[in-house]
């Protein structure tokens, strides 16, 4: 490590040199542009290479967040601005990573896609501080900003000119948020060696919408060779819609902002925060009218996603790479707490969700009664929220794991750990609760509300085990090691984690003590039956 103290903070990318900062046992570079600013004629278009910078660029601070309305719960530094010019990456590398490249031993790379329902979030959130992950795991970590909301996940391509070259001007591209992520992965391929990483050894991981993007990118023909393992945390993998429905959503967005379909190019003249506010109205309207669906999400039917991801996986056309996938025990309590319309958490909205499913697919008439009957206490108690959790996250993840396990090593988990405060309040292991465990990014002592009733030492032990598994996986090993790679102490609470298959359905339950359970909640899984929520 003594040589690491003198390690240069300057790295050269294809677009120019950047100077980072030292953070304990890692070096970091933040706010590095991986694409040109998607503004004016580039708004709603696929990303292109950034304009090179001739001078040394400061990379000690995060780049701007994509335009959005910031929630207090996001825990983001207020000094970070908001701008359409948001296409940046951040890199953390352990000390000595450059020397490892010179010696022919570049570090494994982990690339993170943040969540936020496709309309919120930023790599600058406290949870995604990757310094501990990089230092503990001897890996290079990259986190990616991408376009959100209407700017990234409303598909206006149906309003592009039908003839002529639409590379500029009035043309609109589809799936530009996913295209940003693919472009960032290409940046990793072309530049990460300068930071000590191995472009041939990349693990892509993400949570919530970011986890669904991981699955979509696995199903995309445009990502071949860009990553080699994947982790999908709490991924709504079936919330991907067809072009006809996407065109309807885009037309409604134009109605909201008062633009005629034949003048869709005027979208480029609007203030980005007017687009954000119109997007909020659209989100609430769509989720209220058709519970369980999203207004903004990836779209099937273009060169990015020719087919629905679940179809691709079921037919064995996804890359046969190792996959970890799982959900949290109490996903829906977060949406209830935040009064979010994204999940149907009331009895009325749950039953309307099943009515809409049957309207779309008559073969599932009566499925709602069968499914709700498998939940004790329905319609009272917590049952509606549990149904919503399973509809949005748990069952789609099981269907995906079933499909992929036929062709490649697959591991399934359920995160159950909650601090005493979260247990007492009934929030439990809610949506996104595992993020601080994966990144080791708990707030400093005395400043994290979730530990008001204690439990920090236990949570840190769970975090070390969870990190050890994720990091072992990123190093190409099975995620069942009992301790971190550089630790001499075995964790007695860790257990071997078998691969998932459709017979045993071995699932790792992550809690105070880890446990492997065969086919947890089997009666609920059976009641759901086939993939009734897919392809809506």
């Amino acid at each position: 490590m003594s040589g690491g103290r003198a390690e240069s903070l300057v790295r050269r990318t294809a677009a120019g040199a950047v100077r980072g900062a030292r953070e304990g046992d890692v070096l970091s570079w933040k706010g590095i542009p991986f694409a040109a600013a998607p503004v004016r004629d580039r708004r709603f278009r696929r990303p292109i290479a950034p304009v090179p910078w001739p001078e040394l660029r400061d990379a000690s601070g995060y780049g701007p967040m994509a335009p959005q309305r910031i929630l207090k719960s996001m825990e983001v530094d207020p000094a970070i601005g908001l701008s359409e010019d948001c296409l940046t990456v951040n890199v953390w590398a352990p000390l000595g990573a450059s020397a490892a490249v010179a010696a022919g031993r570049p570090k494994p790379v982990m690339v993170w896609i943040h969540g936020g329902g496709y309309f919120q979030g930023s790599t600058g959130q406290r949870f995604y501080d990757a310094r501990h992950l990089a230092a503990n795991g001897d890996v290079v970590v990259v986190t990616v900003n991408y376009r959100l909301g209407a700017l990234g996940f409303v598909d206006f391509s149906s309003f592009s000119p039908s003839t002529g070259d639409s590379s500029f001007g009035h043309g609109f591209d589809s799936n530009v948020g996913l295209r940003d992520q693919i472009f960032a992965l290409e940046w990793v391929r072309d530049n990460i060696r300068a930071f000590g990483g191995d472009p041939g050894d990349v693990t892509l991981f993400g949570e919530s919408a970011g986890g669904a993007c991981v699955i979509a990118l696995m199903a995309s023909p445009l990502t071949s060779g860009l990553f080699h393992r994947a982790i999908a945390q709490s991924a709504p993998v079936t919330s991907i819609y067809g072009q006809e429905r996407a065109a309807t959503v885009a037309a409604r967005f134009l109605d909201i902002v008062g633009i005629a379909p034949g003048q869709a190019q005027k979208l480029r003249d609007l203030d980005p925060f007017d687009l954000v506010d119109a997007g909020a109205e659209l989100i609430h309207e769509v989720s209220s009218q058709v519970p369980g669906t999203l207004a903004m999400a990836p779209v099937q039917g273009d060169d990015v996603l020719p087919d629905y991801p679940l179809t691709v996986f079921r037919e064995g056309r996804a890359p046969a790479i190792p996959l970890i996938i799982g959900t949290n025990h109490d996903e829906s309590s977060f949406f209830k707490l935040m009064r979010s319309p994204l999940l149907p958490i009331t009895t009325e909205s749950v039953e309307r969700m099943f009515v809409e499913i049957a309207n779309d697919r008559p073969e599932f008439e009566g499925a709602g009664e069968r499914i709700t009957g498998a939940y004790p206490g329905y319609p009272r108690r917590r049952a509606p929220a549990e149904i919503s959790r399973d509809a949005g996250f748990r069952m789609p993840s099981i269907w995906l794991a079933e499909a992929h396990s036929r062709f490649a090593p697959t591991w399934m988990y359920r995160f159950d750990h909650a601090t005493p405060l979260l247990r007492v309040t009934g929030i439990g292991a809610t949506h996104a609760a595992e993020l601080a465990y994966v990144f080791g990014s708990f707030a400093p002592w005395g400043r994290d509300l979730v530990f008001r009733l204690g439990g920090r030492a236990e949570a840190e032990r769970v975090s070390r085990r969870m990190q050890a598994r994720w990091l072992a996986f990123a190093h190409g090993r099975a995620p069942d090691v009992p301790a971190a790679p550089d630790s001499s102490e075995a964790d007695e609470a860790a257990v071997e984690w078998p691969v998932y298959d459709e017979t045993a359905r071995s699932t790792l339950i992550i809690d105070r003590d880890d446990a492997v359970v065969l086919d947890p909640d089997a009666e609920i899984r059976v009641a759901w039956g086939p993939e009734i929520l897919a392809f809506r």
Side-chain angles (χ1 to χ4, degrees):
M1 283 293 185
S2 58
R5 293 191 181 94
E7 193 169 356
S8 173
L9 297 175
V10 176
R11 297 290 186 275
R12 181 164 294 278
T13 74
V18 292
R19 178 189 294 275
R22 178 163 176 172
E23 302 182 36
D25 291 334
V26 302
L27 304 181
S28 68
W29 297 265
K30 299 173 181 175
I32 306 172
F34 68 86
V39 297
R40 297 180 292 278
D41 284 348
R42 296 306 313 170
R43 184 185 276 184
F44 306 115
R45 299 310 316 273
R46 65 190 66 203
I48 59 173
V51 177
W53 52 89
E55 305 294 332
L56 181 64
R57 184 185 182 101
D58 176 61
S60 60
Y62 292 105
M65 303 170 62
Q68 60 192 278
R69 298 301 178 189
I70 301 174
L71 300 177
K72 187 176 181 180
S73 62
M74 291 173 60
E75 296 194 48
V76 63
D77 185 343
I80 298 175
L82 294 101
S83 171
E84 283 187 82
D85 188 6
C86 62
L87 300 183
T88 61
V89 294
N90 315 297
V91 182
W92 287 262
L95 294 176
S98 294
V101 171
R105 297 189 301 274
K107 307 295 184 182
V109 180
M110 300 182 74
V111 178
W112 175 254
I113 308 294
H114 71 75
Y118 302 109
F119 65 94
Q120 286 181 315
S122 163
T123 59
Q125 290 174 255
R126 186 257 296 177
F127 298 111
Y128 310 139
D129 183 342
R131 72 181 83 174
H132 303 296
L133 200 60
N136 295 342
D138 199 32
V139 293
V140 174
V141 183
V142 180
T143 62
V144 178
N145 268 356
Y146 55 98
R147 279 174 282 183
L148 301 171
L151 292 165
F153 288 95
V154 174
D155 181 4
F156 297 104
S157 62
S158 58
F159 300 103
S160 292
S162 58
T163 59
D165 181 9
S166 62
S167 297
F168 295 94
H170 297 173
F172 296 90
D173 285 319
S174 56
N175 280 322
V176 294
L178 288 181
R179 293 182 194 274
D180 291 344
Q181 296 166 13
I182 295 170
F183 212 69
L185 286 167
E186 292 172 345
W187 183 94
V188 169
R189 177 195 62 198
D190 298 340
N191 293 278
I192 203 62
R193 191 172 290 272
F195 299 86
D198 184 352
D201 191 7
V202 176
T203 297
L204 183 64
F205 68 136
E207 183 267 348
S208 192
C213 288
V214 168
I215 297 302
L217 295 176
M218 285 183 70
S220 174
L222 303 185
T223 63
S224 178
L226 293 179
F227 56 96
H228 313 90
R229 286 172 293 278
I231 304 173
Q233 301 168 205
S234 300
V237 300
T238 54
S239 293
I240 292 175
Y241 307 105
Q243 289 181 317
E244 181 178 350
R245 190 253 190 193
T248 300
V249 169
R252 177 59 188 138
F253 188 91
L254 291 176
D255 287 342
I256 292 172
V257 296
I259 293 177
Q263 298 179 314
Q265 69 275 11
K266 289 185 176 181
L267 286 166
R268 292 191 168 91
D269 300 327
L270 296 183
D271 184 282
F273 293 96
D274 289 338
L275 298 176
V276 169
D277 291 341
E281 182 177 341
L282 181 71
I283 289 166
H284 188 273
E285 180 179 296
V286 169
S287 296
S288 298
Q289 291 178 353
V290 189
T293 63
L294 303 179
M296 301 174 185
V299 175
Q300 176 272 337
D302 65 355
D303 57 325
V304 177
L305 283 178
D307 293 304
Y308 290 100
L310 196 54
T311 298
V312 174
F313 277 81
R314 195 167 50 216
E315 295 178 357
R317 292 186 283 119
I321 62 175
L323 171 68
I324 292 174
I325 187 168
T327 59
N328 295 356
H329 187 274
D330 305 293
E331 299 275 8
S332 55
S333 64
F334 169 84
F335 298 90
K336 185 175 183 179
L337 180 69
M338 301 303 294
R339 298 181 179 178
S340 169
L342 296 182
L343 281 189
I345 55 177
T346 65
T347 301
E348 179 186 10
S349 58
V350 165
E351 294 188 352
R352 195 160 70 251
M353 174 183 72
F354 286 120
V355 168
E356 292 294 338
I357 292 171
N359 288 339
D360 286 348
R361 302 179 68 182
E363 67 269 29
F364 292 114
E365 183 73 38
E369 184 176 350
R370 181 188 73 237
I371 292 168
T372 57
Y375 290 81
Y378 183 84
R380 299 179 304 279
R381 300 167 58 192
R382 299 165 58 96
E386 291 171 350
I387 292 170
S388 180
R389 169 202 65 196
D390 294 343
F393 301 103
R394 181 70 177 160
M395 290 312 306
S397 293
I398 288 175
W399 297 329
L400 198 289
E402 287 175 349
H404 198 57
S405 68
R406 300 166 195 158
F407 306 99
T410 304
W411 289 267
M412 172 155 272
Y413 73 89
R414 193 182 74 201
F415 182 81
D416 282 20
H417 191 262
T419 67
L421 177 68
L422 295 179
R423 289 197 299 269
V424 167
T425 57
I427 295 172
T430 192
H431 190 65
E434 87 287 5
L435 292 175
Y437 293 75
V438 170
F439 281 88
S441 56
F442 297 116
W445 283 87
R447 290 173 50 192
D448 201 323
L449 294 177
V450 301
F451 297 119
R452 282 288 177 88
L453 298 182
R456 178 157 189 143
E458 179 178 291
E460 289 179 342
R461 287 194 297 272
V462 176
S463 173
R464 286 194 293 272
R465 290 201 311 272
M466 197 170 184
Q467 268 199 8
R469 294 185 187 278
W470 266 228
L471 290 167
F473 185 74
H475 277 268
R477 303 190 295 271
D480 58 5
V481 294
D486 60 349
S487 173
S488 60
E489 297 184 11
D491 188 339
E492 294 181 358
V495 298
E496 183 178 351
W497 187 0
V499 294
Y500 189 85
D501 62 54
E502 294 175 89
T503 301
R505 298 183 182 272
S506 300
T507 303
L508 180 72
I509 307 300
I510 301 172
D511 206 337
R512 178 177 182 175
D513 298 300
D514 291 347
V516 172
V517 176
L518 305 182
D519 200 7
D521 301 318
E523 64 284 358
I524 289 176
R525 177 187 59 77
V526 171
W528 277 92
E531 301 96 328
I532 72 168
L533 295 173
F535 322 138
R536 294 181 61 195

